[in-house]
């Protein structure tokens, strides 16, 4: 849906758009929908040149001025031999995705920057160093350390780093949830866990930054859910939020430190003070459900058109 909105905004400006899913390199029906490409470099040229063909477009690679990366599909190689499937996927990732991801143009966002910025430890440290308030947080696989932290900072919530593994191409989710020392056992040692002091909040702020344009919304749930994503999105109340002076500059500074030009920030709104407390920044987050989605799409179009 987010890609649709951006493409619509570009179409309205008369900007040529080619929508490409690298996974389409695998034919779906006798090759009619397969993605094909051929690119060359060297000799007199210092950048890749060639043609990329989709089911509906033919694109000269050297004419690309910008790339919006929005969750490409998984590779669909179906050879019965696992090693052949893995070889084909690895070669496609390094060849086709490697070509598209490293074109010398504007990338929203550069895939390497996105990969770095998705690590929660890096997010929290960068946020604290930028000047945001960060909740007391523990990352551990030590049962004793976890129980001690929960007792000292009660109430405490658990958050997964990446959610449940995808199944049938669909992303899984593990919502934020309260924990008690008695809930934990030796299985904590199996992997890393993130525990964070629960915040007494009146709502959540979703702040979307595109280039240097900032869009802020206050998100409230009818029953004050701990994690607003876990409820019925049709029941969310989203209203415009005025940001304190200086916060927009801090948001841009955060993005600059990761080499990003776009990000969806989540803050908790302190019930007592109204202060915004940093939760995370998703470098490829959702924004189509927000009331100012059309304006956000227009900001994307402006950024991509400029290249």
């Amino acid at each position: 849906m987010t890609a649709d909105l951006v493409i619509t905004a570009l179409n309205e400006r008369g900007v040529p758009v080619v929508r490409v899913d690298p996974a389409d390199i695998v034919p779906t029906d006798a090759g009619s929908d397969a993605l094909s490409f051929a690119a060359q470099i060297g000799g007199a040229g210092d950048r890749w040149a060639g043609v990329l063909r989709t089911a509906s477009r033919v694109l000269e690679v050297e004419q690309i001025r910008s790339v919006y990366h929005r969750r490409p599909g998984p590779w669909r190689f179906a050879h019965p031999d696992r090693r052949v499937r893995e070889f084909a996927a690895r070669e496609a990732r390094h060849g086709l995705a490697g070509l598209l991801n490293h074109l010398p143009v504007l990338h929203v966002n550069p895939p390497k920057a996105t990969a770095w910025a998705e690590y929660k430890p890096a997010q929290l440290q960068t946020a604290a160093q930028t000047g945001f308030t960060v909740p007391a947080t523990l990352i551990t696989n030590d049962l004793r350390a976890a129980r001690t932290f929960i007792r000292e900072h009660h109430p405490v919530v658990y958050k997964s780093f990446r959610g449940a593994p995808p199944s049938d191409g669909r992303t899984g989710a593990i919502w934020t949830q309260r924990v008690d020392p008695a809930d934990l056992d030796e299985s904590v040692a199996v992997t890393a866990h993130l525990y964070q002091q629960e915040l007494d909040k009146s709502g959540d702020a979703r702040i979307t930054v595109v280039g240097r344009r900032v869009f802020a919304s206050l998100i409230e749930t009818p029953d004050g859910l701990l994690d607003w994503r876990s409820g019925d999105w049709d029941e969310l109340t989203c209203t415009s939020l005025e940001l304190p002076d200086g916060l927009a500059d801090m948001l841009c500074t955060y993005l600059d430190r990761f080499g990003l030009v776009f990000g969806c920030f989540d803050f908790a709104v302190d019930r007592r003070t109204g202060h915004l407390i940093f939760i995370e920044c998703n470098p490829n987050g959702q924004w189509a459900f927000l009331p100012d989605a059309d304006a956000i799409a227009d900001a994307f179009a402006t950024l991509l058109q400029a290249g």
Side-chain angles (χ1 to χ4, degrees):
M1 184 176 180
T2 43
D4 292 342
L5 290 174
V6 173
I7 290 172
T8 298
L10 288 166
N11 286 337
E12 291 173 349
R13 294 165 175 250
V15 178
V17 181
V18 178
R19 185 175 192 149
V20 177
D21 186 350
D24 289 340
I25 193 173
V26 181
T28 55
D29 53 356
S32 61
D33 294 328
L35 169 68
S36 66
F37 71 104
Q40 299 183 49
I41 195 171
D46 61 356
R47 62 172 288 174
W48 289 102
V51 174
L52 186 148
R53 293 181 177 87
T54 73
S56 60
R57 296 286 190 275
V58 177
L59 170 66
E60 293 185 17
V61 174
E62 58 269 34
Q63 291 186 345
I64 298 173
R65 74 173 75 165
S66 55
V67 183
Y68 174 32
H69 298 270
R70 179 61 190 173
R71 299 186 181 180
W75 304 110
R76 300 187 297 268
F77 297 104
H79 194 280
D81 188 325
R82 176 185 60 82
R83 295 175 64 206
V84 173
R85 294 196 304 271
E86 291 180 356
F87 172 80
R90 188 168 57 246
E91 296 299 289
R93 181 170 61 254
H94 282 264
L96 174 55
L99 173 69
L100 297 175
N101 292 355
H102 294 88
L103 292 170
V105 299
L106 171 71
H107 291 263
V108 185
N109 281 306
K112 288 195 296 184
T114 296
W116 178 32
E118 284 182 334
Y119 283 94
K120 288 287 176 59
Q123 290 186 20
L124 293 168
Q125 177 171 289
T126 302
Q129 292 174 343
T130 304
F132 294 114
T133 300
V134 173
T137 304
L138 173 71
I139 296 174
T140 187
N141 76 330
D142 185 294
L143 176 60
R144 179 178 298 178
R147 284 176 170 167
T148 300
F149 180 85
I150 295 172
R151 283 194 296 267
E152 292 178 351
H153 296 279
H154 181 80
V156 166
V157 296
Y158 163 80
K159 299 178 179 180
S160 67
F161 291 99
R162 298 296 296 161
S167 176
D168 298 326
R170 298 176 65 87
T171 301
I174 299 175
W175 308 122
T176 300
Q177 52 196 283
R178 294 183 182 93
V179 290
D180 185 273
D183 296 335
L184 308 183
D185 58 28
E186 289 74 13
S187 63
V188 168
V190 171
T191 190
H193 300 74
L194 187 152
Y195 302 103
Q196 196 168 73
Q197 185 173 30
E198 182 180 334
L199 303 171
D200 183 16
K201 61 181 183 178
S202 58
D204 294 86
R206 167 58 65 96
I207 306 176
T208 306
V209 182
V210 184
R212 286 298 185 261
R213 295 178 64 181
V214 179
F215 307 87
S217 294
L218 174 65
I219 301 176
E220 298 171 289
T221 62
D223 44 7
L225 289 174
L226 186 63
D227 189 333
W228 61 264
R229 300 168 303 170
S230 64
D232 185 345
W233 284 32
D234 291 333
E235 294 183 357
L236 296 177
T237 300
C238 297
T239 55
S240 179
L241 179 65
E242 185 174 348
L243 298 182
D245 292 341
L247 187 66
D249 289 338
M250 292 172 63
L251 297 169
C252 292
T253 297
Y254 176 99
L255 294 180
D256 290 344
R257 290 183 175 181
F258 282 107
L260 304 170
V261 294
F262 154 66
C264 287
F265 291 83
D266 285 320
F267 291 84
V269 182
D270 186 276
R271 186 183 304 278
R272 184 175 58 87
T273 65
H275 186 68
L276 297 182
I277 303 173
F278 181 90
I279 301 299
E280 67 176 350
C281 176
N282 189 331
N284 203 352
Q286 307 257 25
W287 49 266
F289 69 99
L290 297 170
D292 46 8
D294 289 340
I296 296 174
D298 184 73
F300 269 98
T302 298
L303 195 64
L304 294 167
Q305 182 177 5

